[in-house]
Amino acid sequence: MGAGTRAPQLFVGTYARGGDGGLYPLYPNADGGWELGEPSPCAPNASFGTYSPRFGLHYLVDEREMGALRVLRREDIWQPLARLPTQGALPCYAALSPDEGWLAVTNYGSGSMVLFRLDADTGLAGDPMVVHENGGHGPVTDRQDAPHAHCAVFSPDGKWLYQTDLGTDEVLAFPFDAQRGPGDRQVAFTAPPGSGPRHLVFHPDKAIAFLVSELASTLTVFDVEQGALAQRQCLSTLPGGFGADSLGGHVAINAAVDRVYVTNRGHDSIATFALDANAHLALLGHTPAGGASPRFFRLLEAERRMLVANEDGNNITVFDIAPDGAPRQCGEVAVPAPAFVFAAS
């Protein structure tokens, strides 16, 4: 059966380079691998996004110089519903509030975060409000000459909205009310100078958060209380003695909540950490990513697999997750400039 007669299970957002770009479907094949289909041009430069089960909508950032947010529905084909400006440059992250009533987007280039209030019936967004446009810089002159908002994420209880700033070495926090929106800014964590906070994720059951810092290639564990992040542990994501350039990438916790994975771009590896019942981390080892600059990965929990998007390697590498939690490469698919892998809900 040809790829065109099957329903794709996953899509890959890619950067438009030399005329390429769009959403590429990934089809499972009879051998347990994946095949790439023809791209849809409806969402170029979709480097990140989120999905709303409440509304059945995908919200994908369009990471161009002056960026946009695209709202799409997937049935038999992609249905573009809206294209909205993000009031800033290079949007790179999108996150929904727990009730799916608000959508936060960060603009990396302009160092700002915006919020869209979603229509309660349709899930469509109106004009965004600029929540915060940060100021300042860091000591790494070629990467921290200005603020660079990289991640916005709501706390699991929906009472706080956090934003990382790679350019100013800060994690900011805003008290949040589902009816009124955000309150005043506060600094949740001041990172070591030059570390470049990138992505923040929360433990599903405990008041614990994990931060990957891009420039320092570190994974930091925090206690979370009333918007404040108190450091309890910080580990390198790189092997001891590695001295070449490398950048921290994506971070995620598995469904069993006993492993944390981080990608290294430069070392081009996946770092696997054990996570115990007290939320203490221990580095287990590194697995080659199978391509250059592993920007993102998606865990397929039911299949015990991981798909890694290697942006500069122009491929998706497929890994089995071994019983000890370590990834073991088992396949590869050529994809131009992949940035984001998501389910075709």
Side-chain angles (χ1 to χ4, degrees), residues 48-53 57-61 69-70 86 91-107 113-118 123 125 131 150-156 158 160-164 176 199-202 340:
F48 203 83
T50 188
Y51 173 72
S52 168
L57 298 179
H58 293 268
Y59 305 90
L60 301 175
V61 297
L69 173 74
R70 296 181 186 271
T86 64
C92 63
Y93 202 96
L96 286 162
S97 60
D99 66 355
E100 300 180 35
W102 297 80
L103 179 74
V105 174
T106 52
N107 292 305
M113 179 174 64
V114 298
L115 269 179
F116 295 86
R117 189 159 195 172
L118 304 180
V131 175
H150 210 305
C151 167
V153 60
F154 292 88
S155 60
W160 291 89
L161 173 59
Y162 293 86
Q163 179 214 311
T164 65
F176 193 81
H199 281 182
L200 184 74
V201 297
F202 286 90
F340 180 55

Side-chain angles (χ1 to χ4, degrees), residues 43-113:
N45 304 294
S47 62
F48 203 83
T50 188
Y51 173 72
S52 168
R54 174 181 172 183
F55 300 113
L57 298 179
H58 293 268
Y59 305 90
L60 301 175
V61 297
D62 183 347
E63 192 177 346
R64 297 186 293 190
E65 183 176 352
M66 292 305 295
L69 173 74
R70 296 181 186 271
V71 185
L72 305 97
R73 188 186 304 279
R74 173 71 189 180
E75 293 179 351
D76 293 332
I77 60 173
W78 284 107
Q79 300 177 5
L81 302 179
R83 180 185 182 278
L84 300 166
T86 64
Q87 305 294 337
L90 305 178
C92 63
Y93 202 96
L96 286 162
S97 60
D99 66 355
E100 300 180 35
W102 297 80
L103 179 74
V105 174
T106 52
N107 292 305
Y108 178 87
S110 50
S112 60
M113 179 174 64

